[in-house]
Amino acid sequence: MTIPEKYMSRCIELAKLAAGQVAPNPMVGAVLVYEDKIIGEGYHKKYGEPHAEVNCINSVADENKALIEKSSLYVSLEPCSHYGKTPPCVDLIIKNNIKKVVIGCKDIYKEVAGKGLAKLQNAGTGVVLGVLENECKELNKRFFTFHQKIRPYIILKWAQSANGKTGSLDRKRILISNEYSNRIVHQWRSEEAAILVGTNTALKDNPALTTRLWEGNNPVRIVIDTENKLPSNLEIFNRDAQTIIFNFHKNSIENNIRHIKLETSDFVEQLLNSLFENNIQSVLIEGGTKTLQSFIDSGLWDEARIIINQELIIENGLASPGLTNATLKKQERYFSDLISYYRKK
């Protein structure tokens, strides 16, 4: 690993600390380096709060303030050049007379998209672009997908038995994944903007779809209930998180529940367009099988995370979704459970 890669790797480590906290903004980390020593570091901690570059420069100790203009700033994403919730970070960099900025990857948001680079270069700042570029893009895969594909980043998730069943035919609830995997699933929930299930999952399993087993924000709960038949006493209708119901009949807000009308039965793309318009950057789809399969068949997904209980056999069970056009990226084992992570080819 080269010296620039070492410091960019630290930027990525810092940025990940804000997983689930900054959307729809990207996760960004920054470090300030003087003669191969970090004198300041920071990351964008929460949406609406100061960006990574601000926190990095502000973290420099008083005795090192004079070294800021002699240092190199490493940042995982192109510094912003526009006024949003906060002032432009490029202005702060220029104000502090920092002579060199090393950037992981270019921003694609239309308000930035090269403008930050240009402003730095026009001010005489030396700019290096593309250090650990792929890793920096992977860090913000949700952000890039949202702006490039004009839809949320989609993660499919389900648990199945060793013989490929997701439940019993009589719909009796069976706990498939173990307590360790369950905590990981709640961590996944905390990292995404929204979580989605179909009518049958909401009705039969009565999930709360919150992060109660992991510290973090609750995602927006999304339910596909085309006929509005779910009873109001279900856990998804409590006030622990915002809930959106996609249906075929009405647009309304009732008892803090938002209903959005779908116009056609082939609704996956329409649903994603609506979520994009509502600035929802990522969705974890937890079931059921029919809902998951509809996203697989449409080709509108990005990742799949499958938990397999290798010690459980379900006789006469419901078949798991048929994942196609997928590449296995990694696997993790937690006692009886094997978690396989796939990416869409």
Side-chain angles (χ1 to χ4, degrees):
M1 180 179 287
T2 66
I3 289 176
E5 288 174 345
K6 178 179 75 171
Y7 292 122
M8 192 58 67
S9 180
R10 178 56 180 162
C11 291
I12 293 171
E13 286 179 356
L14 289 166
K16 287 179 178 178
L17 295 174
Q21 301 294 321
V22 299
N25 283 356
M27 293 181 284
V28 183
V31 297
L32 198 61
V33 180
Y34 175 73
E35 293 186 349
D36 203 24
K37 179 183 177 182
I38 294 177
I39 63 168
E41 60 180 30
Y43 63 98
H44 183 30
K45 295 182 178 180
K46 192 173 183 179
Y47 177 69
E49 293 185 0
H51 289 184
E53 298 91 331
V54 177
N55 289 330
C56 176
I57 292 171
N58 287 344
S59 75
V60 178
D62 289 341
E63 62 268 24
N64 290 327
K65 296 290 188 186
L67 301 178
I68 292 177
E69 64 179 30
K70 303 174 185 178
S71 302
S72 296
L73 177 67
Y74 290 77
V75 59
S76 56
L77 185 70
E78 175 184 1
C80 66
S81 54
H82 67 295
Y83 281 89
K85 294 283 185 181
T86 60
C89 290
V90 290
D91 291 356
L92 180 67
I93 295 168
I94 294 168
K95 178 182 177 182
N96 280 273
N97 205 26
I98 296 171
K99 296 297 192 297
K100 183 180 179 181
V101 179
V102 182
I103 299 168
C105 64
K106 193 175 178 180
D107 198 337
I108 59 166
Y109 181 53
K110 62 183 179 180
E111 296 293 339
V112 185
K115 297 173 185 176
L117 294 172
K119 194 167 185 179
L120 288 172
Q121 290 168 333
N122 290 338
T125 306
V127 175
V128 177
L129 177 65
V131 175
L132 294 185
E133 182 174 13
N134 291 336
E135 291 85 345
C136 289
K137 287 181 176 179
E138 172 69 15
L139 169 69
N140 283 305
K141 57 194 176 184
R142 299 161 182 81
F143 177 80
F144 281 94
T145 296
F146 187 75
H147 290 286
Q148 288 175 327
K149 297 185 177 181
I150 318 301
R151 65 164 175 81
Y153 189 87
I154 301 299
I155 301 172
L156 311 176
K157 171 265 168 182
W158 70 85
Q160 65 183 53
S161 64
N163 61 332
K165 307 299 181 182
T166 60
S168 62
L169 289 175
D170 62 7
R171 300 298 299 184
K172 183 179 179 181
R173 191 172 187 189
I174 299 175
L175 297 177
I176 296 177
S177 53
N178 63 39
E179 60 180 302
Y180 300 97
S181 298
N182 289 341
R183 277 178 165 74
I184 292 169
V185 169
H186 282 237
Q187 179 186 359
W188 293 346
R189 290 177 179 179
S190 75
E191 294 171 349
E192 309 309 328
I195 183 170
L196 183 149
V197 297
T199 306
N200 288 336
T201 298
L203 190 60
K204 302 298 183 181
D205 294 346
N206 193 20
L209 303 181
T210 60
T211 60
R212 61 194 179 279
L213 300 181
W214 191 269
E215 185 177 351
N217 294 331
N218 288 323
V220 175
R221 300 177 294 202
I222 300 168
V223 184
I224 301 172
D225 180 21
T226 57
E227 300 302 324
N228 292 316
K229 68 179 184 181
L230 293 175
S232 60
N233 62 343
L234 293 180
E235 291 292 329
I236 57 165
F237 295 120
N238 65 33
R239 293 185 176 271
D240 291 344
Q242 179 186 353
T243 301
I244 299 174
I245 305 294
F246 280 93
N247 68 99
F248 286 158
H249 300 288
K250 62 183 178 180
N251 289 302
S252 66
I253 299 178
E254 304 168 15
N255 298 320
N256 209 34
I257 308 299
R258 184 175 179 187
H259 293 78
I260 298 178
K261 185 180 179 181
L262 296 166
E263 300 299 334
T264 63
S265 58
D266 186 18
F267 56 77
V268 171
E269 189 169 352
Q270 184 187 348
L271 183 150
L272 294 183
N273 288 339
S274 178
L275 295 180
F276 177 84
E277 291 170 1
N278 283 280
N279 217 21
I280 292 177
Q281 198 175 92
S282 63
V283 184
L284 178 66
I285 300 176
E286 287 207 13
T289 300
K290 182 179 178 182
T291 299
L292 287 159
Q293 196 66 54
S294 67
F295 280 86
I296 295 170
D297 293 344
S298 71
L300 295 170
W301 64 280
D302 300 285
E303 285 186 43
R305 302 172 183 176
I306 304 173
I307 304 171
I308 303 173
N309 185 332
Q310 297 184 305
E311 298 177 359
L312 176 67
I313 299 293
I314 300 177
E315 302 293 348
N316 300 316
L318 298 166
S320 64
L323 189 65
T324 58
N325 198 32
T327 300
L328 178 64
K329 288 297 185 180
K330 68 173 183 177
Q331 292 181 312
E332 297 171 343
R333 187 180 299 278
Y334 297 92
F335 298 96
S336 60
D337 291 350
L338 178 69
I339 305 179
S340 297
Y341 296 79
Y342 294 87
R343 285 289 180 91
K344 184 170 175 286
K345 288 183 180 177

